[in-house]
Structure formats: C-alpha cells, structure tokens
Amino acid sequence: MKENDNVISVKGLTKRFGDFTAVDNISFDVKRGEIFGFLGANGAGKTTAMRMLCGLSYPTSGDGYVAGCDINRQADEIKRHIGYMSQKFSLYGNLSLEENLKLFATIYGMTDEEIKASSKKLFEELEMDSMRDTLVKDIPVGWKQKLAFATATIHRPEVVFLDEPTGGVDPATRRKFWELIYKAASEGMTIFVTTHYLDEAEYCNRVSIMVDGKISALASPEVLKEKYHVETMDEVFRIVAKDAIRGE
Amino acid sequence: MKIRILKALLKKEVMLMKRNPIIPKIILVMPLMVMLVIPLVANLDVKNVKVVVVDNDRSQLSRRMIANLNAAAAITVNAYSDTHEDALAKVEHGDADVILNIPYDYSKRVALGGTSVSVEANGVNATKGLLGAQYVSQSVLMTLQQWQVENGITVKPAEISVVNRYNPTLNFKNYMIPALMVVLLIIICGFLPALNLVSEKESGTIEAMNVTPVDKLTFVLSKLIPFWVVSILVVTVGMVVGWLVYGLAPEGNIGVIYLATILFSLVMSGLGVTIANQSATMLQSIFVMFAFIMIFQLMSGLFTPINSMPQWAQVITYFIPPRYFIEIMRAVYLKGASIRELWLQFSALAVFAVVLIVISAKSYSKRG
C-alpha cells in the first residue's frame, strides 16, 4: 500500500454507537499532496470518521489505510505519520507557546537541534516570535488555532487532519490560516480538513459532502458546481444536504 | 519507552503543577494544618473525668480516697451524693461520668476483707467510660495500699501490672502522628493524580496526547513519578512538625521512611490514575476515590487496631495497601525498626506498586 498514490484509502468504514450509526459504510481515497475537504452538517459524522482515521476510535466495521498503515491494527503506527488538530482547542493553557511546541515535537521524536531550527522558522512564519514565552491561555483564539496548526505539522507528517480549524475565527485570520494550509500542502503534506464554511470548500482540491453518515457527493468543487448547475459551493451544499434528517 | 519523551512529559507535569494556582499550596498547607491541629483535637486521651462520690462511710479512709482522687490528673470529684439514685441522676444529666460508691463501715470491714468499693461508669461514651473507670479504680487501689501499709494490714489485693512498651506513657499523639502522615499521603497522592488526569480529559488535552505515538506506560509514568517528590515533601513537613511541635522524632532511619513513602505514593497514584482512566468527569473520579479512601482509613489499622476486627475483616486488611505502610511507619517511628525487620511489609508494598502501575497503564486507553 505504501507506494500507492492514495495516502488515505477507506472501504466500507462504519461506526455505530448502540442503535445509532454515526458513520455508515463510507468509502473514499485521498491522493498524496491533496487538500481534501470533508464537508457535512453538524452531526453528519465528520468528526467520528476523522477520529477513526487518526486511530482515536475503533471502526465498527470496514477497512482503511492511512499513510500505509491499517487503521484497524496499526493505530500507533499511524500516529507517527499524522498530525491532528482537534475541533476543541487542546494544547496546554498553562504552558507557553514554545513549551507546547517543544513538548509535542519531542514526543514525535525530533532532536533538540531539529526542534530549535523548526520552531524558530515556525514562529517567524506565524509572526508569533515575540509571543513565544506567553502562556497559551493568554493569547486570542486566532493565534491559538495557528499554534495548534504549527504543533500538528512541526514533525512534517504525511497527513494532517484538521477538524474545523477555523471555527470561531474572524475572516482575516481565516484567510491567513488557509495560507498556512496551502503552504503545508505545497511542502508535500496531505491535508484532510473538515469545515462549515463553504467558501473554504472552494479552496480544496476535492471535497466530499457527508449527509447522515453517508458520503453523498465527492468531486472537485468545479465538477460539483457544474453537476448541480450552480455558482457556489454553498448552493451545492444546500442541494446535496437538503434531505438531511440529522443536524440542528 | 523512551527516556527522552518521559523526561519531556515529566517537565510538563512539573511546570503545570507549579503554575497551578492551588495545587502547590495544598501540598504544603494541608500537611501543616493537619499536623498542627489534628493531634491536639483528635485525641483519645481521656481528660477531665468527672466523678460523683457516694460516701456512706465518711471515715478517715474514705476522705483520703476522695482527696487522692481529686489530686489525680484527669480526674475531678465534682459532686457528692447521699444516695446511689441521686448519683445516677447526676450521670444522666451529664454532670458526672463515673460513680464511686463507698459502702457503709468500709474502713472497718476492709481489714477483714470481703467488702469493696464499687465503680460505675457511663458507657455512652465508651472510651471515656472505660478509661475513666480504670483511672478511678487505680487511684482508689493506690490509696488503699498505702493505708494498709500504714496500718499494718497484710491483706494484699490482687495486682496486675501493665507496662506499655514503645509508647510508655500511652501518649495518643505518638500513635497518631505517623498515622496522620499516612492519611495525608492517601489523600494527596490518591486524589491529585486522579484529578489531574480527569482534568486533561475535560479540557481535551488528553486527546492531543492520544493522537501522538506516545506509549501508554510512558504517559502513565509521567503522571505517577511527580508524586514521589510530592509525597516526600508531605512526609518531610509531617516529620518536621512532629519533631518541633510534639517532640516526636523517628526512632529509626529516615531513609527507611522515605523509601516506604515512595513505594506507597506509587501505589496511591497508580490507584488514582486507574480510577481516572475509567471516569469521564471529575465528579465520578472523586466519588470512586472517596469510597476507596473510606475503606483505607477504616480498615487499614489507622484508627482501630486490626487485631480487634472480626476474622474475615482481618483477612481483607491484607489486601489494603496502607495497612503495610502504617505498620512500617509506626514500627520505624516508635520502635526504630530496620528495613530487614520490615522486609515483608516492603515486599507487599512493592508488589502493590508494580501491580497498580501495570493496571493503570493497561486501563489507559488511547482509543475509544
């Protein structure tokens, strides 16, 4: 599988919680270096699917490979090759920016020299150099998200999973955040991103739209817009998701 | 397991603990308060036993008995009654704890033998009643012996001599101080790791860890090892206060105490982490921890001697880790026991420590 061009490959992935089927038999591939948008309404099963791919949750059934590792049997191996940014901000508030970055980089097996070099570069890129000793709890949300992204990518993983990375962030910061995503993709990382903002979907190479645990559409934004004869991804989403039972 | 990762995680734990607004204060202030206050108030020494005397004899001997009784420490004769009924009423009203009944013509008949004073105690407060009656009968017996010697009477009343070794004055504080340190360690090393881990669950930081390749044992050890330092701090504060305030220093080697403390901190923090692994919220972990702490305090011989428990309960105490730690602490503190004499207790603690570390690592699930 490893030399395959698909860095993520999923077949019949299903997750049930009791009677509730959160993810219902989904199959898809993500190509290496791609920005893959994973769209869906609240409760459509995006996060659950992503957690299975990251080795945080056991699939009820189905197979999948992430970075050449089996999601059923090699969860710990997968974790060496991915970065993950949770929907809920989850760095240590009482550690400084640099301490957080250093902690996670060490866990990913980077040496002190590597950490020093990459964190210097990262802080400069993020324009956060003056804040590196500030406690994380004291910085604004937009900055926290940027730091979380830096932490998820400092070890240059093959795939980065971003779960609603721009939730609650202002448009200007969102724009900057997407520049970071593009930059990471240009360096060869595959980006797997969920979002609610449909303008962001336009930035993706390909998008899938999940409705009630199933994938209802999967193609590039251009193809989808053409297929449904509309101008924006927002309209595509409205058409595809109009029959959704779950959600708000 | 990688030492480099463990070191990085330990550094994080220490920094977070130091930056926490209350944890460092709890670790220092709680042992101080407990050691300063509890030995003074939670005291089983009986003081101020109130005696009501029913003196039907009114002789030289009976007056002397009463005077000696009044002079004794911890006893005050605070009432006289003419009848036994009246004395009983005083006990019922709480004006007296013990009744001393001296029969009519006692001083004349005592030379012949066959008569005696009677001592009755209020058993509602069992400890005070029991010890109060003992104090009173000791004092009476002493007066009687003196009087017999002075008057050349040779009838010798039966005598039992009790000598308390290792804690010669049966000072309750000597018994309490090592025990209080154990209580402190049970609470601090049990609760703090559990709360720490659950708070990582609640804040979501544990998920950031779960998605990294960190292995379970490394992560769990990073939660346990900081409590070596914490437990040593707590015991040190306890020993210093015990020595400065109560004049009680360990008879044995302090190193033995520290070694036992580290082992015990692993046992308690291992238990705390195991409970936290199974709990989704702080509340759950606190309730489960409380259940364990109740059993630990009541069944480990901390406050009630294991020997006086029913047989089945005594068997259970072998599975209660603080039992061994308390035995070590008391033996080192009061008897000056060495590690060689305590090898059994040390091995038991070590086994518990290893087992709990394994369980806490196994029960920690990076995947749901």
Side-chain angles (χ1 to χ4, degrees), chain B residues 164-214:
Chain B
N164 293 299
R165 305 295 293 263
Y166 310 122
N167 185 4
T169 52
L170 256 191
N171 188 339
F172 194 66
K173 282 186 201 111
N174 296 358
Y175 186 74
M176 275 300 275
I177 286 166
L180 283 176
M181 288 187 226
V182 179
V183 174
L184 282 169
L185 288 179
I186 289 179
I187 294 175
I188 291 178
C189 293
F191 268 117
L192 292 188
L195 296 184
N196 172 308
L197 192 61
V198 180
S199 79
E200 283 219 32
K201 280 190 185 182
E202 288 187 343
S203 70
T205 49
I206 197 144
E207 194 147 291
M209 280 291 156
N210 287 346
V211 81
T212 68
V214 66

Short mmCIF file of all heavy atoms in Angstrom, two decimals, chain B residues 164-214:
data_model
loop_
_atom_site.label_atom_id
_atom_site.label_comp_id
_atom_site.label_asym_id
_atom_site.label_seq_id
_atom_site.Cartn_x
_atom_site.Cartn_y
_atom_site.Cartn_z
N ASN B 164 3.35 -0.24 79.27
CA ASN B 164 3.26 -0.04 77.83
C ASN B 164 4.64 0.21 77.25
O ASN B 164 5.28 1.20 77.56
CB ASN B 164 2.36 1.15 77.51
CG ASN B 164 0.95 0.84 77.91
OD1 ASN B 164 0.35 -0.09 77.40
ND2 ASN B 164 0.44 1.60 78.86
N ARG B 165 5.07 -0.71 76.40
CA ARG B 165 6.39 -0.54 75.80
C ARG B 165 6.27 0.35 74.58
O ARG B 165 5.22 0.46 73.98
CB ARG B 165 6.94 -1.90 75.38
CG ARG B 165 6.99 -2.90 76.49
CD ARG B 165 7.97 -2.46 77.57
NE ARG B 165 9.33 -2.51 77.06
CZ ARG B 165 10.14 -3.54 77.25
NH1 ARG B 165 9.75 -4.56 77.95
NH2 ARG B 165 11.35 -3.52 76.77
N TYR B 166 7.34 0.96 74.19
CA TYR B 166 7.50 1.75 72.95
C TYR B 166 6.73 3.06 72.96
O TYR B 166 7.05 3.98 72.24
CB TYR B 166 7.10 0.94 71.71
CG TYR B 166 7.77 -0.39 71.68
CD1 TYR B 166 7.05 -1.57 71.63
CD2 TYR B 166 9.15 -0.47 71.74
CE1 TYR B 166 7.67 -2.79 71.63
CE2 TYR B 166 9.79 -1.70 71.75
CZ TYR B 166 9.04 -2.86 71.69
OH TYR B 166 9.66 -4.06 71.71
N ASN B 167 5.68 3.11 73.69
CA ASN B 167 4.95 4.37 73.81
C ASN B 167 4.58 4.44 75.27
O ASN B 167 3.43 4.25 75.66
CB ASN B 167 3.71 4.31 72.91
CG ASN B 167 2.98 5.63 72.89
OD1 ASN B 167 3.43 6.61 73.48
ND2 ASN B 167 1.84 5.65 72.23
N PRO B 168 5.61 4.62 76.13
CA PRO B 168 5.50 4.31 77.55
C PRO B 168 4.36 5.03 78.24
O PRO B 168 3.73 4.49 79.14
CB PRO B 168 6.85 4.74 78.13
CG PRO B 168 7.52 5.54 77.07
CD PRO B 168 6.92 5.17 75.77
N THR B 169 4.08 6.25 77.83
CA THR B 169 3.02 6.97 78.51
C THR B 169 1.68 6.74 77.84
O THR B 169 0.70 7.38 78.17
CB THR B 169 3.33 8.46 78.51
OG1 THR B 169 3.62 8.84 77.15
CG2 THR B 169 4.53 8.78 79.36
N LEU B 170 1.66 5.82 76.88
CA LEU B 170 0.46 5.59 76.07
C LEU B 170 -0.04 6.91 75.52
O LEU B 170 -1.23 7.17 75.45
CB LEU B 170 -0.65 4.93 76.89
CG LEU B 170 -0.87 3.45 76.65
CD1 LEU B 170 -2.16 3.00 77.31
CD2 LEU B 170 -0.90 3.10 75.17
N ASN B 171 0.92 7.75 75.13
CA ASN B 171 0.57 9.05 74.59
C ASN B 171 -0.07 8.85 73.22
O ASN B 171 0.54 8.31 72.30
CB ASN B 171 1.83 9.90 74.47
CG ASN B 171 1.52 11.31 74.09
OD1 ASN B 171 0.45 11.59 73.55
ND2 ASN B 171 2.43 12.20 74.39
N PHE B 172 -1.28 9.28 73.12
CA PHE B 172 -2.01 9.04 71.88
C PHE B 172 -1.38 9.74 70.69
O PHE B 172 -1.47 9.29 69.57
CB PHE B 172 -3.47 9.46 72.05
CG PHE B 172 -4.34 8.95 70.97
CD1 PHE B 172 -4.58 7.60 70.83
CD2 PHE B 172 -4.91 9.82 70.05
CE1 PHE B 172 -5.37 7.11 69.82
CE2 PHE B 172 -5.70 9.34 69.03
CZ PHE B 172 -5.94 7.99 68.91
N LYS B 173 -0.73 10.86 70.96
CA LYS B 173 -0.09 11.62 69.88
C LYS B 173 0.98 10.80 69.17
O LYS B 173 1.11 10.85 67.96
CB LYS B 173 0.54 12.89 70.43
CG LYS B 173 -0.47 13.98 70.69
CD LYS B 173 0.24 15.25 71.10
CE LYS B 173 -0.70 16.14 71.85
NZ LYS B 173 -0.37 16.27 73.26
N ASN B 174 1.74 10.03 69.97
CA ASN B 174 2.78 9.21 69.35
C ASN B 174 2.21 8.21 68.38
O ASN B 174 2.85 7.79 67.43
CB ASN B 174 3.57 8.46 70.44
CG ASN B 174 4.31 9.41 71.34
OD1 ASN B 174 4.26 10.62 71.12
ND2 ASN B 174 4.98 8.89 72.34
N TYR B 175 1.00 7.79 68.68
CA TYR B 175 0.33 6.81 67.84
C TYR B 175 -0.27 7.50 66.63
O TYR B 175 -0.29 6.97 65.52
CB TYR B 175 -0.75 6.20 68.72
CG TYR B 175 -1.51 5.04 68.14
CD1 TYR B 175 -0.90 3.79 68.03
CD2 TYR B 175 -2.83 5.20 67.74
CE1 TYR B 175 -1.61 2.73 67.52
CE2 TYR B 175 -3.54 4.15 67.23
CZ TYR B 175 -2.93 2.91 67.12
OH TYR B 175 -3.64 1.87 66.62
N MET B 176 -0.74 8.74 66.85
CA MET B 176 -1.45 9.48 65.80
C MET B 176 -0.53 10.07 64.73
O MET B 176 -0.86 10.10 63.56
CB MET B 176 -2.25 10.65 66.43
CG MET B 176 -3.60 10.26 66.94
SD MET B 176 -4.66 9.62 65.67
CE MET B 176 -5.34 11.13 64.99
N ILE B 177 0.62 10.60 65.14
CA ILE B 177 1.44 11.37 64.20
C ILE B 177 1.88 10.56 62.98
O ILE B 177 1.66 10.99 61.84
CB ILE B 177 2.61 12.06 64.93
CG1 ILE B 177 2.02 13.23 65.72
CG2 ILE B 177 3.68 12.55 63.98
CD1 ILE B 177 2.95 13.82 66.74
N PRO B 178 2.43 9.34 63.17
CA PRO B 178 2.74 8.56 61.96
C PRO B 178 1.48 8.25 61.15
O PRO B 178 1.50 8.28 59.92
CB PRO B 178 3.35 7.27 62.51
CG PRO B 178 3.70 7.54 63.92
CD PRO B 178 2.82 8.65 64.40
N ALA B 179 0.38 8.00 61.85
CA ALA B 179 -0.86 7.66 61.16
C ALA B 179 -1.38 8.83 60.33
O ALA B 179 -1.86 8.66 59.21
CB ALA B 179 -1.92 7.22 62.16
N LEU B 180 -1.24 10.04 60.87
CA LEU B 180 -1.73 11.22 60.13
C LEU B 180 -0.96 11.42 58.84
O LEU B 180 -1.51 11.82 57.82
CB LEU B 180 -1.61 12.46 61.01
CG LEU B 180 -2.70 12.59 62.07
CD1 LEU B 180 -2.43 13.80 62.93
CD2 LEU B 180 -4.06 12.68 61.42
N MET B 181 0.35 11.13 58.87
CA MET B 181 1.13 11.26 57.64
C MET B 181 0.61 10.29 56.59
O MET B 181 0.57 10.60 55.41
CB MET B 181 2.60 11.00 57.93
CG MET B 181 3.24 12.11 58.71
SD MET B 181 4.99 11.80 58.80
CE MET B 181 5.25 12.12 60.51
N VAL B 182 0.21 9.10 57.07
CA VAL B 182 -0.34 8.12 56.14
C VAL B 182 -1.65 8.64 55.53
O VAL B 182 -1.86 8.57 54.32
CB VAL B 182 -0.58 6.76 56.85
CG1 VAL B 182 -1.17 5.76 55.88
CG2 VAL B 182 0.72 6.24 57.43
N VAL B 183 -2.49 9.23 56.39
CA VAL B 183 -3.76 9.78 55.90
C VAL B 183 -3.49 10.84 54.84
O VAL B 183 -4.11 10.87 53.78
CB VAL B 183 -4.57 10.40 57.07
CG1 VAL B 183 -5.81 11.09 56.53
CG2 VAL B 183 -4.96 9.31 58.05
N LEU B 184 -2.54 11.72 55.12
CA LEU B 184 -2.21 12.79 54.18
C LEU B 184 -1.77 12.23 52.83
O LEU B 184 -2.19 12.69 51.78
CB LEU B 184 -1.09 13.66 54.74
CG LEU B 184 -1.52 14.66 55.80
CD1 LEU B 184 -0.30 15.26 56.47
CD2 LEU B 184 -2.35 15.76 55.16
N LEU B 185 -0.93 11.19 52.90
CA LEU B 185 -0.44 10.61 51.64
C LEU B 185 -1.58 9.93 50.89
O LEU B 185 -1.65 10.01 49.66
CB LEU B 185 0.68 9.62 51.90
CG LEU B 185 2.01 10.24 52.32
CD1 LEU B 185 3.04 9.16 52.57
CD2 LEU B 185 2.51 11.19 51.24
N ILE B 186 -2.46 9.27 51.63
CA ILE B 186 -3.60 8.61 50.97
C ILE B 186 -4.39 9.67 50.20
O ILE B 186 -4.74 9.49 49.03
CB ILE B 186 -4.51 7.91 52.00
CG1 ILE B 186 -3.82 6.68 52.57
CG2 ILE B 186 -5.84 7.51 51.36
CD1 ILE B 186 -4.64 5.94 53.61
N ILE B 187 -4.65 10.79 50.85
CA ILE B 187 -5.49 11.81 50.22
C ILE B 187 -4.75 12.52 49.08
O ILE B 187 -5.23 12.59 47.95
CB ILE B 187 -5.98 12.83 51.27
CG1 ILE B 187 -6.92 12.11 52.25
CG2 ILE B 187 -6.70 13.99 50.61
CD1 ILE B 187 -7.36 12.95 53.40
N ILE B 188 -3.55 13.01 49.37
CA ILE B 188 -2.85 13.82 48.37
C ILE B 188 -2.41 12.97 47.18
O ILE B 188 -2.64 13.33 46.03
CB ILE B 188 -1.66 14.55 49.03
CG1 ILE B 188 -2.20 15.61 49.98
CG2 ILE B 188 -0.76 15.19 47.97
CD1 ILE B 188 -1.16 16.39 50.73
N CYS B 189 -1.79 11.83 47.46
CA CYS B 189 -1.28 11.02 46.34
C CYS B 189 -2.38 10.20 45.67
O CYS B 189 -2.17 9.62 44.62
CB CYS B 189 -0.18 10.08 46.82
SG CYS B 189 1.27 10.97 47.32
N GLY B 190 -3.55 10.14 46.29
CA GLY B 190 -4.65 9.45 45.63
C GLY B 190 -5.47 10.40 44.78
O GLY B 190 -5.76 10.13 43.62
N PHE B 191 -5.83 11.54 45.37
CA PHE B 191 -6.72 12.48 44.68
C PHE B 191 -6.02 13.26 43.57
O PHE B 191 -6.55 13.37 42.47
CB PHE B 191 -7.33 13.47 45.67
CG PHE B 191 -8.64 13.02 46.22
CD1 PHE B 191 -8.80 12.77 47.56
CD2 PHE B 191 -9.72 12.83 45.37
CE1 PHE B 191 -10.01 12.34 48.06
CE2 PHE B 191 -10.94 12.40 45.87
CZ PHE B 191 -11.08 12.16 47.22
N LEU B 192 -4.86 13.82 43.87
CA LEU B 192 -4.26 14.74 42.90
C LEU B 192 -3.99 14.10 41.53
O LEU B 192 -4.34 14.68 40.51
CB LEU B 192 -2.99 15.39 43.47
CG LEU B 192 -3.24 16.37 44.62
CD1 LEU B 192 -1.96 17.12 44.98
CD2 LEU B 192 -4.32 17.38 44.28
N PRO B 193 -3.41 12.89 41.47
CA PRO B 193 -3.20 12.32 40.14
C PRO B 193 -4.52 12.03 39.42
O PRO B 193 -4.63 12.23 38.21
CB PRO B 193 -2.46 11.00 40.40
CG PRO B 193 -2.05 11.03 41.80
CD PRO B 193 -2.89 12.01 42.53
N ALA B 194 -5.53 11.59 40.19
CA ALA B 194 -6.82 11.30 39.57
C ALA B 194 -7.42 12.59 38.99
O ALA B 194 -7.85 12.63 37.83
CB ALA B 194 -7.77 10.69 40.59
N LEU B 195 -7.40 13.65 39.79
CA LEU B 195 -7.98 14.92 39.33
C LEU B 195 -7.17 15.47 38.15
O LEU B 195 -7.73 16.00 37.19
CB LEU B 195 -8.01 15.94 40.47
CG LEU B 195 -8.91 15.54 41.64
CD1 LEU B 195 -8.96 16.65 42.67
CD2 LEU B 195 -10.31 15.23 41.14
N ASN B 196 -5.87 15.35 38.23
CA ASN B 196 -5.00 15.81 37.15
C ASN B 196 -5.37 15.16 35.82
O ASN B 196 -5.58 15.83 34.81
CB ASN B 196 -3.55 15.47 37.55
CG ASN B 196 -2.55 15.73 36.44
OD1 ASN B 196 -2.72 15.26 35.32
ND2 ASN B 196 -1.50 16.46 36.75
N LEU B 197 -5.51 13.82 35.85
CA LEU B 197 -5.79 13.12 34.60
C LEU B 197 -7.19 13.43 34.09
O LEU B 197 -7.38 13.65 32.88
CB LEU B 197 -5.62 11.61 34.82
CG LEU B 197 -5.60 10.80 33.55
CD1 LEU B 197 -4.44 11.22 32.67
CD2 LEU B 197 -5.49 9.33 33.85
N VAL B 198 -8.17 13.47 35.01
CA VAL B 198 -9.53 13.75 34.55
C VAL B 198 -9.62 15.18 34.01
O VAL B 198 -10.34 15.43 33.05
CB VAL B 198 -10.55 13.52 35.69
CG1 VAL B 198 -11.95 13.82 35.20
CG2 VAL B 198 -10.50 12.10 36.15
N SER B 199 -8.85 16.09 34.60
CA SER B 199 -8.92 17.46 34.08
C SER B 199 -8.33 17.52 32.67
O SER B 199 -8.77 18.33 31.85
CB SER B 199 -8.23 18.44 35.02
OG SER B 199 -6.84 18.38 34.84
N GLU B 200 -7.36 16.66 32.37
CA GLU B 200 -6.86 16.61 30.99
C GLU B 200 -7.95 16.07 30.05
O GLU B 200 -8.03 16.48 28.91
CB GLU B 200 -5.62 15.72 30.89
CG GLU B 200 -4.37 16.40 31.39
CD GLU B 200 -3.14 16.08 30.56
OE1 GLU B 200 -3.29 15.87 29.34
OE2 GLU B 200 -2.04 16.02 31.12
N LYS B 201 -8.75 15.15 30.59
CA LYS B 201 -9.86 14.65 29.77
C LYS B 201 -10.86 15.76 29.53
O LYS B 201 -11.35 15.96 28.43
CB LYS B 201 -10.58 13.50 30.49
CG LYS B 201 -9.89 12.18 30.37
CD LYS B 201 -10.80 11.08 30.90
CE LYS B 201 -10.06 9.76 30.90
NZ LYS B 201 -10.93 8.66 31.36
N GLU B 202 -11.19 16.50 30.61
CA GLU B 202 -12.22 17.53 30.48
C GLU B 202 -11.76 18.68 29.58
O GLU B 202 -12.55 19.25 28.85
CB GLU B 202 -12.62 18.04 31.87
CG GLU B 202 -13.44 17.00 32.61
CD GLU B 202 -14.01 17.50 33.93
OE1 GLU B 202 -13.55 18.54 34.44
OE2 GLU B 202 -14.91 16.84 34.45
N SER B 203 -10.48 19.03 29.66
CA SER B 203 -10.02 20.15 28.84
C SER B 203 -9.68 19.70 27.42
O SER B 203 -9.45 20.53 26.55
CB SER B 203 -8.81 20.81 29.49
OG SER B 203 -7.71 19.95 29.40
N GLY B 204 -9.63 18.39 27.18
CA GLY B 204 -9.38 17.89 25.83
C GLY B 204 -7.90 17.73 25.51
O GLY B 204 -7.55 17.25 24.43
N THR B 205 -7.02 18.11 26.45
CA THR B 205 -5.59 17.98 26.13
C THR B 205 -5.18 16.52 26.01
O THR B 205 -4.21 16.21 25.32
CB THR B 205 -4.73 18.65 27.21
OG1 THR B 205 -5.16 18.20 28.48
CG2 THR B 205 -4.85 20.16 27.14
N ILE B 206 -5.93 15.63 26.68
CA ILE B 206 -5.54 14.23 26.60
C ILE B 206 -5.67 13.71 25.17
O ILE B 206 -4.93 12.84 24.74
CB ILE B 206 -6.35 13.36 27.58
CG1 ILE B 206 -5.64 12.02 27.77
CG2 ILE B 206 -7.76 13.11 27.08
CD1 ILE B 206 -5.74 11.48 29.13
N GLU B 207 -6.61 14.32 24.42
CA GLU B 207 -6.78 13.87 23.04
C GLU B 207 -5.57 14.26 22.19
O GLU B 207 -5.15 13.52 21.32
CB GLU B 207 -8.05 14.49 22.47
CG GLU B 207 -8.45 13.81 21.20
CD GLU B 207 -9.93 13.76 21.03
OE1 GLU B 207 -10.57 13.02 21.80
OE2 GLU B 207 -10.44 14.45 20.14
N ALA B 208 -5.01 15.43 22.50
CA ALA B 208 -3.80 15.84 21.79
C ALA B 208 -2.68 14.84 22.05
O ALA B 208 -1.84 14.58 21.18
CB ALA B 208 -3.38 17.24 22.23
N MET B 209 -2.68 14.25 23.27
CA MET B 209 -1.68 13.23 23.60
C MET B 209 -2.02 11.91 22.92
O MET B 209 -1.14 11.22 22.41
CB MET B 209 -1.66 13.01 25.11
CG MET B 209 -0.90 14.03 25.87
SD MET B 209 0.85 13.85 25.48
CE MET B 209 1.40 15.51 25.85
N ASN B 210 -3.31 11.56 22.95
CA ASN B 210 -3.73 10.26 22.40
C ASN B 210 -3.44 10.13 20.92
O ASN B 210 -3.31 9.03 20.40
CB ASN B 210 -5.23 10.05 22.64
CG ASN B 210 -5.52 9.76 24.10
OD1 ASN B 210 -4.61 9.46 24.85
ND2 ASN B 210 -6.77 9.85 24.48
N VAL B 211 -3.38 11.26 20.23
CA VAL B 211 -3.17 11.19 18.79
C VAL B 211 -1.69 11.22 18.45
O VAL B 211 -1.30 11.13 17.30
CB VAL B 211 -3.97 12.34 18.10
CG1 VAL B 211 -3.22 13.63 18.17
CG2 VAL B 211 -4.33 11.97 16.68
N THR B 212 -0.85 11.29 19.48
CA THR B 212 0.60 11.18 19.24
C THR B 212 1.03 9.74 19.47
O THR B 212 0.29 8.95 20.06
CB THR B 212 1.40 12.06 20.22
OG1 THR B 212 1.26 11.50 21.53
CG2 THR B 212 0.92 13.49 20.21
N PRO B 213 2.23 9.39 19.03
CA PRO B 213 2.67 8.00 19.23
C PRO B 213 3.18 7.71 20.64
O PRO B 213 3.74 6.64 20.85
CB PRO B 213 3.81 7.84 18.20
CG PRO B 213 4.22 9.20 17.81
CD PRO B 213 3.13 10.15 18.15
N VAL B 214 2.98 8.59 21.61
CA VAL B 214 3.47 8.33 22.96
C VAL B 214 2.89 7.02 23.48
O VAL B 214 1.71 6.73 23.28
CB VAL B 214 3.11 9.50 23.91
CG1 VAL B 214 1.62 9.63 24.11
CG2 VAL B 214 3.81 9.35 25.25
#
